[in-house]
């Protein structure tokens, strides 16, 4: 537990020299049993994501599938309802339920539904937009969008102890360790 | 770098997204649903000033004059017919002969310059409605014009929108009456309208005409 | 709608007198309109005489601009501000379902006429006169507003059919450019002023017994008017009455005098004629009684497939300028004028006409063999044949025709002679010449010109206009302020025939009352009767009193006490009911034939220029009628222009091509005209049409085309010899409704695709199924993935008999009038944007120097599997339960996809704002039962759905089914040849089914599996084996595979 | 996505990224284009492009005032420039999606430096394309009737009409492309947020980047969605031009009614698209000195794609001729004869020249490696593809079944005005894009730098 007189921390941030270093560090932190951990890099590093996310698969595929199905049913349903139930019209001698023609709009709706679900789902799951975030309090963090690699152990982690964590991070090759304040 | 945004930014950002969605939905509802069906757009129930404040309430409900006394061609023509001033004068030669209200009528009768009434139930020029066939198939005045017999000043009873026409053209049984009851303001169906209607639809061979050229040509 | 209206026609008239009111739209209040029009300043037309006389610039084709109507701006809007227009186009957005209605007023009658049911039309019988002939019509009137002209089934000249001119007369009535007031020296005056001036004049003349008073009319058919004039002449013996009809029957009159020594009217009975020989005769679309002739002739063409009727007739056409009639011919021989004359002489000789001497046919191949064959055929049909010479043929041809008919025993059988129908038959050429000479000699003091436009159309050699200036008192009665008006100090606005009482007689002598449908739109418009009444002895002033009085004294004198009833009946029926004129025997004088043959031999060689009345503008009187300007001429498909018609060979020789400018010189005068190469035209001659190049026709007609009257002399009214044609400089775009490029390629492809299927009677009898065997595989009804939609109740269909259709265009204009189809102007037609719902496709077939010509009316086919419907994104065109292909204008967004996907290209698109929403008076011409289409929407033939709906509603109200023939489409009703039939395909007994049952029945492009509801009966011809089949015999088998 | 395997090259091809580059240098080089001062040539071209854009505005205004009659269309040729340009533009759009989606799935890492640019091009091309179907209608203000919106008429669109399919396909395509593009932008916007020079810029980019901070957890979902979007865009892009081709193929017009259209339209689209990418990229490389990011190899690969798709298109033409003849149908046969020898023969022959003959030069490596030559060839293809659409639309319609209705189609100045105007519109948008947004996907470029190669820690492997 963090001692009272210290300021309330969001966590500790370690800067690491390279992508490789970040990966190794992440692995070590995970091995050490820290779970409330996040890593920051200017480009995606699969290994790091895997470790940080504790090898859980992303939920995105399910969301996208749901969106797609919704689009498909919605689209085809609308066509059927409009052309067969609501206002059936003899058009060029074709049957009211001209399903071959209905396939195309339904198909497009499927893709539209899936894509919308994907993008907005991703933003939602990632808790974006969040223009304000504690990590931005660390001036050095701006490098994260250029060439900086960072690892954060959050204070809410059960094992979190400021001094212990600090020394641990320094131990695993952090070039520097910062306090991340709320 | 220092924080670019304040803490509140997060809430604002999220709110603006959800808020935006709500506003868009509201606008959509207004444009698609509310405004087109408003009396502003349809003219429904709006009362207009007429050269003479003719009261159907007085003449029909009060004096019990039959619709066809004035609207002579309603049974044989597309146009129900607006009575010529001479029709008014049939009675008003003798009664209310110097009522101030009726001066425009008398003047018209003298000068031969017709009275110009404000049209109330007005369809677009590309819609062709025929009174005679509706009357012949048991559609009452009331069905479209509402309680016009009790209107001191005539107003539009229905929206006169296509969906409204279709509602009856698709389910005539919910509206038709026996032919002899078409002009009867106190008509009550014997039994449920559905039952009576269904029978009449059979009897009068009422078609459910939904195709475009029924009204548009 | 057949029978003339219910109730008394006079009630109808009286009702008109107290300005009827249209319920609903305020714009349609006649009184308002009349006030507006009266208030409006007449267009300022006055130019100095010098400027007028300086005609060349009027005639200069090359620098002529298009008629204003042709601009992208709809007429009337062109002068408006930009913003106003943008407002207008935004207003068009208003034509949707979800915008507010504009405020509207209802204007009921003050006193409603008894027989009038608001919202239902009334029909009145009357007659329309045209150049010495008249046609009985029924006019549809909506709330006192004439909107449509139909034929009068009880009138012998019509039998229910009409022609282009009658159909277009409605637009003539509402012509915004009509003259609106009496003027003296271009200043507004009154009838009072005029009658004072005139009567003053007459007082002075009384002493001289009317010496110096002259009255110039066109051919007068009206017994009443004639009586009025005669009455004046009786009281002023030295006064003279002259007649001039530019495109009148001059040759026929001369010939009658030469042959019979007396005037006579000729009546033909084509129903009885097995063999017809037409000598330069276009009897199927022109000449007295042509509507009736077309009906009778077509009856004999149908005989080929209508079982149990007389057998099919045979037509030989010998002519110089291709005529619509010759497209029906089984054999056609194109010869220059002298050739035709020689042919006639030789034929007379071959048939054995006493005194006939064969002409010299050496120069013309075929001709000799023709003479023999035709003579044989004629002799084989004595008493059952007709030899007819056309109005434009020289007198000698008429004489020979008379002689032939006499020799063949046709006279009295198929050809009847009666007393002249016109009030006073006279040599009009002499008449107008006499007048002109007297004017020049200063012998004329007062000249009343009642109708006509002599300054424009009098023979050029007379110098009428200049002579006219020598007349101190000149007054001109006319509907427009035209060329003659400009030369007359007094102008008197004339009423339209739908506005005034009169009477007339038709080709067979039947008398008819001309009954007005509406009070004159312009109060000061008067009829010739009313003008003559100023000079009259009687107190009768109104046309009504005059006509009624005259009929009481003469036509219906027999009725005695029963006159009132007889008169009412006559007015109601549109015919007097006293029958046609009795026929008389008129022997042909022996020496006449010899003289005719001599004349034929003398008729000079060299290049001849043929003058013909225009199929649209006639002699020029219809120049300001947009419908007639835009109706595609039957053979050339030209609109908004006349041209010099040349045969392909001739054009090649002269180094001329279509649209290049040619200079035509005759009698020292020279004209520049654009050329139109017309396959089938005879060599050694060229054709021009009269009636164009009007300088004072109005907004629509002024400056359109070239005026060819300057080349037309009294000596050569119909054909001028010794003409020189040379290549001029420049080009002139001609607007043709059917593209003229690659005509050979078109011919080839059209034949390959079996668009017009045709064959000979012989072929048909040998193999009744030959039509079905033509063309490409048509999928059977069950060759489909989809379950077909059932059409219980009615199932409408239409059939067209190609053997009957002569391509006269009556249907085209009838459709335009019935369905509010706009006029688009030359530029748009040239850009392939004409709006006619029916177009009459013209195909050449065979050798382009002597092709067979086929006419095929094409309108929406109402395909059961319509390609247009499937592709419309908004379902603006769908199929109705009665099989109609419905076009919903107000739903259309205008993607034009339907038009692209229509193999028949019968859909028409409003690329610009074509309909005139601006001009008040034109709105009155519109049919209230049909939506007026605005910019950006598609439209097409609806099978006259408004008529179907009305019939259905009436039938339902009476609890019955629609009877066969109860619904008649506008085109069917107008058709003189009964080539179109419409009806219910579910009604086994319907006429349309009996037509479609014929083996000749085929669907256009039906190999596309569109299942058209409009089908065609293949065209049959009846060639003479002795002439090796003839033109139509090469029945398009080239392309077969 | 898999950028883990080395980009060091196994073949003797120029590398995807010119060395020496690391995450920092890549970032700075691309960012500096945006941070830097506006180059003069940019101002010049923008002025020109913007004034051409003005022509479009005028043409549209006049069109709305007077109606489609100001164009050369008529009956029989009811469709003219509007539809030709629509198909042309939408075709051009396709390259973007293809590069960013299909090449991504095919793990073609060379796509990385051009995909952002190509996607932008897609977006703007679709914007131009989208104008035409709406404007070409007689009453554009009723365009919303093509959408399934509830209304007081109780009417719905006709879902059997290929035009409605178009509406669905094109709107979907526009939306998905925009989403895809924006998703890709987020991390780079974050970069600008953190490094842009002035506060305002930082704030704007900050809002747009929605607080992206490169969290591993975010990358996790981000990568998964990005890949899924790619997976969705691929069938989408194929469907879009298929549907566009249905506008013709579903009709019965000779020259339209043919089954070869869908594949050959799609191929044509890719063909045109790559041509347009090259047309734009070749001048931009020297201007922004990014030859080491968009390298010779990119040009070569694109050249190869063009060669292949070009051959498919040529095959399409051949099949059209063959099937037309083989069908034995009078109208089909005549249509071919008319295209080749009819009044529009020069157009058909120049189409063959520009679209089939000239592109054969790509067989020669010399031409594939010479930017100048490539530029010339792409221009020829841009023109050729436009002519192809003209041939399909105009020459099929002007002489169809009924001989009597044959006529000619001649475009007016307003047809040209609107067409050129949209080119101005397109260039304007392009210029704004390259000036204010990262025209190269920075974060993806970083993954190509040597420093991005990561070995999976065995420590961690042991832990399991």
């Amino acid at each position: 537990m963090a001692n009272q007189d210290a300021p309330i921390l969001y966590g500790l941030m370690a800067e690491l020299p390279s992508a490789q270093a970040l990966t190794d560090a992440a692995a070590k932190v995970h091995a050490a049993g820290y779970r409330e951990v996040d890593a920051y890099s200017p480009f995606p590093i699969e290994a790091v994501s895997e470790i940080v996310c504790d090898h859980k698969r992303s939920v995105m595929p399910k969301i996208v599938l749901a969106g797609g199905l919704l689009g498909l049913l919605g689209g085809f349903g609308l066509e059927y309802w409009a052309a067969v139930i609501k206002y059936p019209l003899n058009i060029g001698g074709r049957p009211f339920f001209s399903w071959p023609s209905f396939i195309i709009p339904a198909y497009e709706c499927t893709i539209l539904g899936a894509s919308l679900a994907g993008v907005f789902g991703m933003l939602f799951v990632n808790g974006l937009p969040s223009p304000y975030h504690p990590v931005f309090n660390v001036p050095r963090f701006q490098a994260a969008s250029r060439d900086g690699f960072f690892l954060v152990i959050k204070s809410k982690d059960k094992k979190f102890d400021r001094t212990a964590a600090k020394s641990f991070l320094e131990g695993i090759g952090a070039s520097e360790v910062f306090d991340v304040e709320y | 770098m220092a924080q670019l945004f304040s803490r509140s930014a997060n809430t604002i950002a999220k709110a603006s997204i959800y808020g935006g969605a709500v506003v868009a939905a509201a606008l959509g509802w207004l444009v698609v649903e509310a405004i087109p069906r408003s009396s502003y757009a349809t003219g429904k129930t709006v009362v207009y000033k007429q050269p003479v404040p003719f009261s159907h309430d007085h003449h029909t409900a009060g004096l019990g004059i039959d619709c066809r006394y004035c609207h002579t061609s309603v049974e044989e023509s597309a146009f129900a017919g607006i009575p010529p001033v001479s029709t008014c004068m049939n009675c008003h030669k003798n009664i209310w002969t110097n009522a101030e209200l009726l001066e425009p009528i008398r003047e018209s009768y003298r000068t031969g310059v017709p009275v110009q009434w404000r049209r109330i139930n007005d369809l677009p020029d590309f819609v062709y409605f025929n009174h005679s066939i509706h009357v012949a198939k048991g559609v009452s005045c009331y069905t479209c014009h509402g309680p016009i017999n009790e209107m001191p000043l005539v107003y539009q009873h229905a929206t006169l929108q296509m969906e409204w026409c279709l509602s009856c053209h698709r389910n005539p049984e919910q509206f038709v009456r026996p032919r002899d009851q078409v002009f009867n303001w106190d008509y009550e169906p014997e039994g449920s309208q559905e039952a009576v209607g269904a029978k009449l639809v059979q009897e009068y061979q009422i078609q459910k005409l939904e195709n475009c050229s029924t009204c548009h040509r | 709608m057949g029978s003339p209206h219910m109730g008394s026609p006079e009630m109808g008239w009286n009702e008109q007198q107290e300005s009827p009111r249209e319920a609903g739209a305020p714009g349609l209040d006649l009184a308002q309109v009349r006030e507006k029009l009266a208030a409006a300043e007449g267009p300022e037309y006055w130019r100095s005489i010098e400027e007028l006389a300086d005609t060349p610039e009027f005639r200069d084709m090359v620098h002529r601009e298009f008629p204003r109507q042709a601009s992208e701006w709809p007429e009337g809007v062109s002068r408006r501000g930009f913003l106003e227009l943008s407002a207008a186009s935004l207003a068009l957005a208003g034509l949707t379902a979800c915008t507010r209605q504009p405020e509207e007023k209802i204007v009921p009658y003050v006193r409603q006429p008894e027989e009038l049911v608001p919202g239902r039309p009334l029909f009145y019988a009357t007659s329309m006169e045209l150049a010495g002939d008249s046609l009985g019509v029924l006019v549809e009137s909506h709330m006192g507003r004439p909107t449509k002209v139909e034929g009068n089934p009880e009138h012998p000249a019509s039998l229910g059919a009409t022609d282009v001119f009658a159909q277009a007369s409605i637009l003539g009535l509402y012509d915004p450019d009509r003259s609106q007031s009496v003027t003296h020296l271009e200043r507004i005056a009154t009838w009072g002023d005029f009658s004072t001036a005139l009567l003053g004049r007459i007082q002075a003349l009384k002493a001289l017994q009317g010496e110096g008073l002259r009255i110039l009319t066109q051919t007068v058919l009206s017994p009443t008017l004639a009586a009025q004039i005669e009455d004046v002449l009786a009281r002023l013996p030295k006064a003279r009455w002259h007649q001039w009809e530019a495109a009148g029957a001059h040759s026929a009159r001369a010939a009658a005098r030469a042959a019979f020594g007396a005037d006579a009217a000729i009546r033909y009975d084509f129903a009885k004629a097995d063999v017809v020989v037409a000598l330069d005769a276009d009897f199927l679309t022109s000449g007295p009684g042509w509507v009736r002739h077309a009906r009778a002739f077509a009856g004999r063409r149908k005989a080929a497939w209508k079982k149990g009727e007389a057998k099919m007739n045979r037509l030989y056409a010998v002519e110089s300028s291709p005529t619509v009639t010759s497209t029906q011919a089984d054999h056609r021989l194109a010869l220059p004028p002298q050739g035709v004359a020689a042919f006639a002489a030789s034929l007379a000789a071959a048939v054995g006409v006493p005194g006939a001497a064969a002409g010299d046919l050496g120069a013309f191949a075929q001709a000799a063999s023709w003479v023999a064959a035709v003579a044989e055929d004629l002799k084989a049909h004595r008493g059952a044949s007709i030899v007819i010479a056309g109005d434009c043929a020289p007198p000698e041809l008429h004489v020979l025709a008379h002689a032939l008919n006499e020799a063949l025993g046709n006279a009295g059988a198929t050809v009847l002679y009666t007393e002249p129908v016109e009030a006073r038959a006279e040599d009009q050429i002499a008449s107008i010449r006499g007048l002109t000479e007297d004017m020049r000699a200063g012998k004329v003091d007062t000249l009343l010109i009642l109708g006509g436009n002599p300054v424009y159309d009098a023979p050029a050699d007379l110098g009428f206009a200049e002579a006219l200036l020598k007349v101190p008192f000149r007054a001109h009665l006319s509907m427009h302020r035209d060329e003659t008006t400009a030369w007359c100090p007094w102008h008197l606005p004339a009423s339209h025939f739908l506005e005034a009482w009169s009477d007339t007689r038709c080709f067979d002598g039947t008398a008819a009352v001309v009954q007005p449908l509406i009070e004159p739109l312009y109060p000061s418009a008067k009829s010739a009767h009313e003008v003559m009444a100023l000079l009259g002895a009687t107190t009768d002033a109104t046309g009504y009193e005059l006509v009624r009085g005259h009929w009481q004294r003469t036509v219906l004198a027999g009725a005695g006490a029963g006159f009132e009833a007889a008169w009412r009946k006559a007015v109601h029926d549109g015919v007097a009911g006293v029958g046609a004129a009795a026929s008389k025997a008129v022997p042909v004088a022996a020496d006449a034939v010899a003289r005719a043959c001599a004349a034929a031999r003398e008729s000079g060689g060299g290049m001849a220029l043929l003058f013909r009345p225009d199929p649209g503008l006639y002699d020029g009187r219809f120049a300001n009628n947009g419908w007639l300007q835009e109706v595609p001429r039957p053979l050339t498909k030209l609109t908004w222009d006349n041209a010099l018609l040349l045969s392909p060979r001739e054009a090649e020789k002269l180094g001329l091509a279509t649209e290049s400018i040619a200079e035509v010189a005759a009698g020292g005068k020279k004209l520049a005209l654009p050329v139109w190469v017309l396959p089938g035209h005879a060599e050694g001659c060229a054709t021009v049409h009269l009636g164009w190049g009007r300088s004072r026709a109005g907004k629509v007609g002024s400056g359109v085309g070239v005026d060819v009257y300057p080349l037309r002399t009294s000596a050569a009214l119909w054909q001028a010899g010794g003409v020189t044609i040379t290549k001029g400089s420049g080009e002139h775009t001609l607007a043709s409704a059917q593209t003229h490029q690659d005509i050979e390629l078109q011919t080839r492809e059209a034949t390959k695709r079996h668009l017009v299927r045709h064959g000979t009677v012989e072929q048909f009898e040998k193999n009744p199924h030959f039509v079905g065997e033509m063309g490409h595989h048509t999928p059977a009804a069950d060759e489909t993935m989809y379950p077909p939609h059932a059409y219980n109740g009615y199932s409408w269909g239409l059939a067209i008999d190609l053997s009957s259709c002569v391509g006269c265009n009556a249907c085209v204009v009838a459709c335009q009038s019935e369905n509010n189809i706009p006029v688009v102007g030359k530029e748009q037609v040239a850009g392939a944007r004409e709006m006619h719902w029916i177009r009459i496709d013209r195909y050449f077939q065979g050798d382009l120097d002597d092709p067979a010509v086929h006419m095929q009316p094409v309108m929406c086919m109402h395909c059961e599997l319509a390609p247009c419907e499937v592709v419309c994104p908004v379902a603006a065109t769908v199929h109705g339960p009665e099989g109609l292909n419905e076009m919903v204008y107000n739903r259309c967004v205008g993607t034009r996809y339907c038009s692209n996907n229509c193999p028949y290209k019968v859909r028409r698109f409003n690329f610009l704002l074509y309909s005139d929403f601006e001009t008040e008076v034109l709105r009155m011409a519109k049919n209230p039962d049909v939506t007026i289409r605005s910019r950006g929407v598609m439209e097409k033939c609806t099978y006259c759905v408004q008529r179907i709906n009305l019939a259905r509603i009436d039938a339902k109200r009476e609890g019955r089914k629609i009877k066969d023939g109860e619904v008649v489409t506008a085109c069917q009703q107008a058709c003189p040849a009964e080539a179109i039939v419409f009806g219910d395909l579910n009604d086994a007994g319907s006429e349309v089914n009996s037509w479609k049952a014929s083996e000749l029945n085929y669907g256009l492009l039906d190999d596309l599996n569109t299942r058209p509801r409009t089908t065609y009966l293949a065209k049959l011809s009846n060639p003479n084996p002795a002439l090796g089949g003839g033109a139509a015999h090469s029945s398009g088998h080239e392309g077969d595979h | 996505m898999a950028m883990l395997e080395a980009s060091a090259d196994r073949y003797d091809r120029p590398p995807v990224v010119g060395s020496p580059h690391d995450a920092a240098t890549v970032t700075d080089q691309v960012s500096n284009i945006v941070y830097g001062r506006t180059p003069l040539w940019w101002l010049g071209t923008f002025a020109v492009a913007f004034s051409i854009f003005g022509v479009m505005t005028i043409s549209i205004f006049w069109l709305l005032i007077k109606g489609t009659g100001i164009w050369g269309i008529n009956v029989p040729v009811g469709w003219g420039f509007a539809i030709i340009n629509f198909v042309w533009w939408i075709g051009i759009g396709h390259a973007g999606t293809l590069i960013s989606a299909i090449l991504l799935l095919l793990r073609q890492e060379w796509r990385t430096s051009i995909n952002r640019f190509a996607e932008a091009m897609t977006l703007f091309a679709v914007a131009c394309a989208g104008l035409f179907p709406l404007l070409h209608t007689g009453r554009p203000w009723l365009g919303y009737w093509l959408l399934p919106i509830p209304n007081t008429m109780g009417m719905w669109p006709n879902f059997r009409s290929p035009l409605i399919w178009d509406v669905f396909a094109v709107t979907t395509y526009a939306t998905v492309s925009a989403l895809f593009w924006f998703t890709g932008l987020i991390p780079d916007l974050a970069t600008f947020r953190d490094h842009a020079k002035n506060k305002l810029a930082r704030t704007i980019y900050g809002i747009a980047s929605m607080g992206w901070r490169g969290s591993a957890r975010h990358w996790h979902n981000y990568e998964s969605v990005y890949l899924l979007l790619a997976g969705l865009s691929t069938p989408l892009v194929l469907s879009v031009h298929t549907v566009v081709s249905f506008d013709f193929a579903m009709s019965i017009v000779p020259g339209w009614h043919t089954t070869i259209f869908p594949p050959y339209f799609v191929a044509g689209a890719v063909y045109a698209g790559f041509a347009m990418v090259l047309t734009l990229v070749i001048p931009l490389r020297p201007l922004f000195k990014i030859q080491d990011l968009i390298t010779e190899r990119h040009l070569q690969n694109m050249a190869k794609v063009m060669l292949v798709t070009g051959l498919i298109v040529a095959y399409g033409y051949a099949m059209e001729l063959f099937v037309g003849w083989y069908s034995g149908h009078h109208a089909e046969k005549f249509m071919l004869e008319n295209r080749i020898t009819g009044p529009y023969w020069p157009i058909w022959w120049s189409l063959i020249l520009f679209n089939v003959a000239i592109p054969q030069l790509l067989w020669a490596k010399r031409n594939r490696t010479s930017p100048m030559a490539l530029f010339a060839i792409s221009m020829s293809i841009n023109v050729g593809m436009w002519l192809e659409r003209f041939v399909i639309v105009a020459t099929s319609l002007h002489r169809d079944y009924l001989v009597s209705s044959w006529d000619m189609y001649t475009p007016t100045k307003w047809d040209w005005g609107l067409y050129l105007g949209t080119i101005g519109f397109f260039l304007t948008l392009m210029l704004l894009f390259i000036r204010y947004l990262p025209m190269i996907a920075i974060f993806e470029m970083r993954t190509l730098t040597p420093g991005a190669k990561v070995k999976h820690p065995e420590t961690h492997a042991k832990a399991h």
Side-chain angles (χ1 to χ4, degrees), chain C residues 960-978:
Chain C
R960 56 175 176 86
K961 273 187 82 84
I962 298 176
K963 295 191 282 308
D964 186 35
E966 191 175 350
V967 184
V968 182
T969 62
C971 49
Q972 173 186 10
Q973 188 163 16
C975 182
E978 291 181 311

Side-chain angles (χ1 to χ4, degrees), chain B residues 42 58 72 75 79 101 129 146 154 181 184 205 207-208:
Chain B
T42 63
H58 171 66
T72 50
E75 287 176 302
F79 180 52
L101 278 180
F129 175 83
V154 177
Q181 297 301 315
N184 174 5
Q205 296 168 4
Q207 290 170 290
K208 301 188 175 186

Side-chain angles (χ1 to χ4, degrees), chain C residues 485 634 706:
Chain C
T485 306
V706 188

Side-chain angles (χ1 to χ4, degrees), chain C residues 70-215:
Chain C
S71 83
E72 279 177 0
W73 303 99
E75 177 56 27
V77 184
S78 48
R79 276 169 238 80
R80 285 171 198 287
F82 180 82
L83 288 174
E84 218 171 322
L85 192 95
S86 54
S89 33
L90 292 180
L92 297 177
L95 289 182
T96 74
C98 60
T99 40
R100 302 186 69 194
Q101 280 298 302
E103 171 171 338
E104 277 189 13
K105 292 251 185 290
I106 304 187
V107 186
Y109 286 85
V110 174
R111 293 171 190 74
Q112 184 168 314
E114 285 118 44
E115 83 286 0
L116 180 129
V117 178
R120 287 190 86 89
L122 296 175
F123 289 83
Y124 298 95
T126 183
S127 278
M128 176 189 183
E129 263 188 31
L130 175 63
D133 184 23
S134 79
L135 184 71
V137 294
L138 292 180
V139 183
E140 180 176 5
S141 165
H142 283 273
M143 314 289 280
R145 175 170 61 92
T147 57
K148 180 80 170 65
V149 172
E150 304 293 1
N152 179 353
E154 301 176 30
H155 189 281
S158 159
L159 301 181
T162 42
D163 60 13
V164 268
F165 305 116
Q167 287 296 343
S169 60
I170 279 291
L171 192 59
L173 168 66
Y174 297 113
D175 182 346
D177 298 340
R178 275 179 60 184
S179 159
Q180 299 169 15
S181 57
V182 178
T183 57
H184 182 239
L185 297 171
E186 293 305 306
R187 249 173 264 98
I188 307 273
T190 68
W191 278 97
D193 305 340
F194 174 69
S195 62
T196 333
L198 177 65
L199 294 175
R201 216 73 200 175
I202 301 300
Q203 282 312 323
L205 293 174
K206 278 230 174 77
L208 311 163
Q209 297 184 305
E211 180 75 58
L213 169 62
R214 304 299 177 96
I215 297 163

Side-chain angles (χ1 to χ4, degrees), chain C residues 17-61:
Chain C
Q17 298 214 315
E18 42 163 278
S19 63
R21 308 281 174 173
E22 165 76 8
L28 297 177
D29 177 334
L30 294 195
Q32 283 182 15
V33 175
R34 242 190 251 97
E35 284 154 24
K36 282 206 178 81
L37 295 169
E41 269 292 325
E44 187 58 41
Y45 277 169
W46 181 260
R47 304 267 191 291
S48 74
I49 297 292
E50 295 69 30
E51 187 191 335
L52 231 190
D54 170 22
T55 35
E57 75 233 42
F58 289 123
R59 311 208 192 112
D60 175 4
M61 282 305 306

Side-chain angles (χ1 to χ4, degrees), chain C residues 72 742 753 833 841 871-873 892 894-897 901 905 911 935, chain D residues 64 66 69 71 73 78-79 138-139 158 161 247 252 399-401 404:
Chain C
E72 279 177 0
D742 293 321
R753 302 176 184 197
R833 293 170 176 184
D841 291 347
V871 297
C872 175
C892 179
T895 66
R896 299 178 300 283
Y897 199 174
N901 211 30
K905 292 289 174 284
F911 289 92
R935 175 188 124 194
Chain D
L64 294 178
K66 292 224 278 179
W71 292 343
I73 46 176
W79 285 353
R139 308 198 285 174
N158 168 20
S161 167
D247 290 347
I252 65 171
R399 287 181 174 179
D400 69 342
Y401 293 102
S404 60

